[in-house]
Amino acid sequence: MASEVSRASSPGPEGSSTVTTAVPARLDRLPWSRWHWMIVIGLGTVWILDGLEVTIVGNVAGRIAEDGSGLDITAAQITGVAAALYVAGACSGALFFGWLTDRYGRKRLFMVTLVVYLAATAMTALSFESWWFFLFRFLTGFGIGGEYAAINSAIDELIPSHYRGRVDLIINGSYWLGAIGGSLLSIVMLDTDIFPKDLGWRLSFALGVVLGLVILLVRRHVPESPRWQFIHGRGDEAEELVGAVEKEIEKEKGVRLSPPDREITIHQRKSIGFGLIAKTVFHSYPRRAVLGLSLFIGQAFLYNAITFGFGTILITFFDVPTGSTGYYFAVIAAGNFMGPLLLGKLFDTVGRRIMISSTYLLSGILLFGTAWLFDRGSLTTTTMTACWCVVLFFASAGASSAYLTVSEIFPMETRAMAIAFFYALGTAAGGISGPLLFADLTASGVVGDTVLAFQIGAGLMCAAGLVAAFLAVNAERRSLEDIAEPLSTARPASSTDA
């Protein structure tokens, strides 16, 4: 078996050790194995929970707003105020837990964030007043925001470079599997012949908690990122972990792994300050910073334009009963999942620049077309759902690539904070103002208002696609250390914003 132990050399800055290691190259040259499936299941399945819960909230909004639900709250407050608070919590949680993730490690934080998320979800099910519901929607978002930072950084650092794009996209796209489940579950939970009005929606949240506890048990076996370990003075642990994985894979495949083709020499650090992170992102990589922000704002507005008002649009303009909206949402959720699933491999083969820009532009143009047809009165419930399904097939792959992009184009020491920052800033722009704006537009009952909501989302998506066409980084099949050299490298970086 090819294994290479880190070699200590001279003391680095401020007394830190300087080590030479082949850990990144050893991880990148691994063939796909059961070990990688364990990572995908342990870390990626939480997006299914997120999709389950967000969809349930959207679909049960009408029922919770009815008399006898146990809460004195309106549908507009649920899809507007509560949704905005959820996103505000996610932005806050991303920044808070993102900083902790870079400082204390991926594994420790992706356990903590899931516990926070599950506890807040359980408390949401017990809501007895609107303020309680709002509070725990915020805290649920706080936990999921931390998940975005901790999970995406861990996935990219553990998955081989040849598979990183498709795996990251499919994992982020798995949110929509949860959305399908949430849509179908809400149909059962909203059936008053089965559950009373004040119980069905509570059980929907409770089921998400049960599924999350199962994921928590699986996640216990996911290791710390060896890339994080060797930079933070735990090189021996990184070597031991990678060596054990290599032995396991050689036994599984019945082959001997080839020797790693490169090494990296770094100064080990205990932590990275905010000042250095900000300087790195905005001074050394300004073009990449503009790219990340554009991608997040575009996808946040497009999704808010469609999904937060989805049920209201069907009920208001197409007279769909409250209890039946889940069927239609399940269809567009399936389209969302199929996008990353079928297009994901192309991000590793055709390339990031072409695929990111084309998925953003296509989804925006198609949504403009949908808005035009809707304005003319040419759409039925079925054709409207079909249009949304096609738009979101491309938009979902594009939106997932936003997370992939910011998690791989900045130095390793800043990765979780970079994900957190761009998620928080982009989502705050599109995800907080979006629900507040689109809830009023889609609930007004005026066709022109809903058309305007679609056009806003489509325009920003197209703008982001044009930015990607010029600024996207060709990161496909490249080591993370080649895309952005670690700040702790023992030699000056050869390039910055390329």
Side-chain angles (χ1 to χ4, degrees), residues 248-496:
E248 179 183 330
I249 292 177
E250 286 186 336
K251 182 178 179 180
E252 175 188 339
K253 302 295 183 181
V255 298
R256 194 169 180 81
L257 295 174
S258 60
D261 59 0
R262 67 180 67 186
E263 295 178 328
I264 185 172
T265 300
I266 57 98
H267 298 304
Q268 295 181 316
R269 302 170 182 245
K270 292 295 183 183
S271 63
I272 306 294
F274 270 122
L276 181 56
I277 292 173
K279 180 181 178 181
T280 299
V281 172
F282 294 104
H283 178 72
S284 300
Y285 298 97
R287 290 159 57 91
R288 298 184 184 190
V290 171
L291 172 66
L293 189 58
S294 300
L295 295 181
F296 269 100
I297 290 178
Q299 63 88 24
F301 266 97
L302 179 135
Y303 271 96
N304 283 305
I306 296 178
T307 57
F308 275 111
F310 173 82
T312 303
I313 292 170
L314 291 180
I315 294 167
T316 303
F317 297 104
F318 298 100
D319 297 321
V320 174
T322 301
S324 299
T325 59
Y327 291 111
Y328 297 96
F329 199 88
V331 174
I332 69 166
N336 271 285
F337 178 65
M338 295 306 291
L341 181 66
L342 298 180
L343 300 178
K345 185 177 181 179
L346 299 179
F347 284 77
D348 286 324
T349 55
V350 174
R352 304 286 201 264
R353 185 187 301 270
I354 293 175
M355 291 305 301
I356 294 172
S357 59
S358 62
T359 51
Y360 269 76
L361 286 168
L362 275 171
S363 59
I365 292 169
L366 289 168
L367 185 54
F368 272 124
T370 301
W372 178 71
L373 292 172
F374 181 74
D375 191 34
R376 292 185 58 194
S378 302
L379 297 175
T380 64
T381 310
T382 302
T383 54
M384 182 68 155
T385 304
C387 286
W388 276 332
C389 197
V390 175
V391 168
L392 296 174
F393 175 85
F394 294 104
S396 182
S400 295
S401 73
Y403 294 94
L404 167 66
T405 297
V406 298
S407 68
E408 66 181 2
I409 63 174
F410 296 105
M412 206 226 70
E413 299 91 334
T414 70
R415 183 160 295 121
M417 271 307 299
I419 297 168
F421 176 80
F422 288 102
Y423 170 79
L425 203 58
T427 305
I432 297 178
S433 59
L436 296 175
L437 171 64
F438 296 134
D440 289 336
L441 290 176
T442 56
S444 70
V446 178
V447 171
D449 288 346
T450 300
V451 170
L452 177 60
F454 289 169
Q455 291 173 335
I456 292 171
L460 289 171
M461 201 70 172
C462 286
L466 292 174
V467 171
F470 290 98
L471 300 184
V473 179
N474 296 318
E476 58 275 6
R477 305 193 194 187
R478 295 172 61 192
S479 168
L480 294 172
E481 289 72 25
D482 286 340
I483 301 168
E485 199 164 26
L487 301 180
S488 304
T489 186
R491 62 180 178 79
S494 56
S495 64
T496 53

